Amino acid sequence: MELLRKWLGHPEDIYNLLRFKMGGYRAVMPRMDTDSLGCGLRTCYRYLNQTSRSFAAVIQALDGELRHAVCIFYLVLRALDTVEDDMSIPLDVKVSMLQEFHSYLYQPDWKYTESKEKHRQVLEDFPTISMEFRNLSKAYQDVISDICHKMGVGMAEFLEKKVDSQHEWDKYCHYVAGLVGIGLSHLFSASELEDPIVGQDTDLANSMGLFLQKTNIIRDYLEDQLEGREFWPREVWSRYVKKLSDLAKPENIDVAVQCLNELITNALHHVPDVLTYLSRLKNQSVFNFCAIPQVMAIATLAACYNNQQVFRGVVKIRKGQAVTLMMDATNMQAVKAIMYQYVEEIYQKIPSTDPSSNKTQQVIASIRARSLPGSPMASRHHYSPIYLSCAMLLAALSWQYLSTLSKASEEYVQARDN
């Protein structure tokens, strides 16, 4: 009955889940024909689907040869990330592997068969991935090798180093996500599907990655604590508690939420750059690829803002909500309207006593100035009484069936990789 109540409160979720499952997803994520691919590429796409639920579909929807380049880029970075995560590798060996990983791309026989990590197949069969890397054009190879090198060096730097200052938080997020945004932007321009400026403006590309990474770090506070990981910057949380883990204590919930709101305010500063970056994109498949994660992130931050649940469990946007965002975020006007909607949600929740309230209001004002929606999008979430009545009736009749559909669609709408 709880599921039914949720759907009755959001009847548009029902409509969009049905529309998504009955073919709507093909508009943003058309199926790729792998039958014409060689054995190596087919294997790479199989690994892509096995290691990523949130990126596999949007990567395979990219146009032309860019699709293969981004697939290989993802798998190379997944292999690098698997080395970083593997606690069974001695520290000195791991540091060397991370720093030299880019060189393995040109060693046909290099592989690592001793990993205990979940996605170890990308290391065990790295020769297949590196072979397909070397089959890419030199322009793509140069981008992937360069980003892999910089990311490996950055990962090695933070292996034994905690994130202290907000500057170091930006630096860590740059290494693990900003560089991905920069590399992707270089690939977009190299493919000639996008103008050279997209790849040249590395500050905007970096902000794209930082916004997503900070959102994940903020949302995943409790999960990271349980796993023994700490990514919130000490400079911020130490103003509220003595230890980062203290934020999860019930007696500290008020200051915990204030700390949370300060970090969300920090993340929101990247939104103007995100809007500028997206406004430069011309190719529809590239726009969808870039816009969908960004609107998911702003919706996630709106759900997390001033929310005690971040310190008690998992905060997720509804599946129907995610599907709606995926199907709507296909043009710049719609993305601006979405950003405007969620920053307004945050604005309405700002406590007058919150230490960051003035800063939050200021950054929201700057986002408003860049994302005022036009009249065609003003009714994006307005539905006629007849539609609402029909949707609610449909909910009452088919909520159990739709529960099954929502589980089936999860692979398309999960906002972060497992």
Side-chain angles (χ1 to χ4, degrees):
M1 291 303 295
E2 178 62 25
L3 181 60
L4 176 58
R5 282 193 293 272
K6 287 182 180 179
W7 275 337
L8 288 174
H10 302 278
E12 68 274 14
D13 286 1
I14 307 167
Y15 173 73
N16 286 315
L17 276 171
L18 279 173
R19 189 158 63 101
F20 187 78
K21 286 302 294 179
M22 296 176 71
Y25 65 88
R26 292 192 181 93
V28 289
M29 297 179 184
R31 291 188 179 278
M32 188 185 75
D33 178 18
T34 58
D35 293 341
S36 60
L37 302 178
C39 180
L41 266 180
R42 282 202 304 273
T43 299
C44 287
Y45 279 106
R46 186 173 78 250
Y47 291 155
L48 174 66
N49 283 289
Q50 289 172 349
T51 58
S52 170
R53 291 195 294 178
S54 59
F55 286 117
V58 287
I59 288 175
Q60 291 173 91
L62 287 168
D63 289 340
E65 63 181 14
L66 177 62
R67 178 191 305 137
H68 302 327
V70 175
C71 173
I72 299 305
F73 185 40
Y74 175 87
L75 291 177
V76 168
L77 298 188
R78 170 60 76 182
L80 181 69
D81 190 56
T82 302
V83 171
E84 183 200 26
D85 288 343
D86 195 331
M87 302 307 294
S88 69
I89 303 175
L91 184 62
D92 58 336
V93 175
K94 183 184 290 190
V95 168
S96 177
M97 287 179 69
L98 291 173
Q99 293 174 337
E100 299 299 323
F101 201 87
H102 65 289
S103 68
Y104 304 151
L105 293 166
Y106 299 97
Q107 299 177 30
D109 297 326
W110 186 89
K111 59 184 175 181
Y112 186 75
T113 59
E114 298 175 27
S115 176
K116 305 296 188 295
E117 287 295 298
K118 176 182 178 181
H119 300 307
R120 58 186 175 273
Q121 71 265 37
V122 294
L123 291 173
E124 293 172 347
D125 194 17
F126 197 75
T128 297
I129 296 170
S130 67
M131 176 185 68
E132 293 303 330
F133 162 83
R134 293 188 299 276
N135 286 339
L136 296 172
S137 69
K138 187 176 185 302
Y140 293 142
Q141 289 185 40
D142 289 346
V143 171
I144 295 171
S145 176
D146 177 59
I147 296 299
C148 181
H149 185 198
K150 290 175 179 175
M151 187 176 290
V153 170
M155 286 178 168
E157 177 183 337
F158 276 90
L159 276 180
E160 290 189 300
K161 176 179 170 182
K162 290 190 176 181
V163 178
D164 286 327
S165 67
Q166 293 185 66
H167 172 74
E168 286 183 336
W169 198 36
D170 281 357
K171 189 176 182 181
Y172 171 76
C173 291
H174 165 72
Y175 282 141
V176 300
L179 283 172
V180 178
I182 292 169
L184 286 169
S185 300
H186 286 321
L187 294 177
F188 298 156
S189 294
S191 72
E192 299 185 353
L193 293 176
E194 298 297 344
D195 291 334
I197 187 61
V198 173
Q200 292 167 357
D201 197 333
T202 55
D203 287 341
L204 293 187
N206 188 57
S207 278
M208 292 283 285
L210 262 61
F211 185 58
L212 298 182
Q213 186 64 23
K214 287 181 178 181
T215 298
N216 287 340
I217 288 173
I218 291 167
R219 180 198 61 191
D220 293 339
Y221 164 83
L222 192 60
E223 177 185 331
D224 286 337
Q225 280 293 299
L226 295 174
E227 296 292 331
R229 300 186 296 259
E230 294 190 355
F231 298 117
W232 284 27
R234 177 187 294 270
E235 179 185 346
V236 175
W237 62 256
S238 63
R239 291 199 292 268
Y240 300 93
V241 287
K242 293 182 178 179
K243 295 186 299 181
L244 183 57
S245 58
D246 289 344
L247 292 175
K249 295 179 178 179
E251 63 268 25
N252 293 328
I253 193 61
D254 290 339
V255 294
V257 169
Q258 291 175 358
C259 181
L260 167 70
N261 291 348
E262 182 174 346
L263 290 182
I264 290 177
T265 300
N266 177 296
L268 289 173
H269 280 89
H270 298 291
V271 173
D273 280 354
V274 168
L275 292 170
T276 301
Y277 181 97
L278 293 175
S279 70
R280 290 176 173 172
L281 301 178
K282 302 184 303 181
N283 179 269
Q284 187 65 58
S285 72
V286 172
F287 185 89
N288 294 348
F289 176 88
C290 294
I292 289 172
Q294 301 294 332
V295 296
M296 296 285 191
I298 192 67
T300 300
L301 288 183
C304 290
Y305 185 82
N306 210 48
N307 188 349
Q308 298 179 1
Q309 185 61 23
V310 171
F311 304 97
R312 297 170 177 166
V314 180
V315 175
K316 289 185 178 181
I317 59 177
R318 304 182 310 276
K319 292 184 177 69
Q321 181 184 6
V323 164
T324 299
L325 291 172
M326 290 168 61
M327 297 178 70
D328 281 357
T330 57
N331 62 80
M332 198 60 217
Q333 187 178 20
V335 169
K336 286 182 176 182
I338 292 167
M339 292 291 188
Y340 187 90
Q341 171 194 340
Y342 286 111
V343 296
E344 285 302 304
E345 284 191 16
I346 293 173
Y347 184 83
Q348 295 301 321
K349 293 191 289 185
I350 299 175
S352 59
T353 56
D354 190 273
S356 303
S357 60
N358 288 337
K359 291 182 179 179
T360 310
Q361 290 169 355
Q362 289 170 8
V363 70
I364 286 179
S366 70
I367 297 170
R368 281 172 172 164
R370 297 178 185 231
S371 61
L372 287 173
S375 57
M377 288 305 300
S379 61
R380 193 172 74 88
H381 290 296
H382 290 213
Y383 298 88
S384 70
I386 293 177
Y387 162 71
L388 290 173
S389 298
C390 291
M392 292 175 72
L393 177 61
L394 180 60
L397 294 173
S398 59
W399 67 273
Q400 187 171 11
Y401 171 64
L402 284 174
S403 177
T404 303
L405 287 184
S406 67
K407 290 179 182 178
S409 67
E410 185 175 357
E411 63 184 278
Y412 296 102
V413 301
Q414 182 166 323
R416 184 184 181 192
D417 285 327
N418 290 332

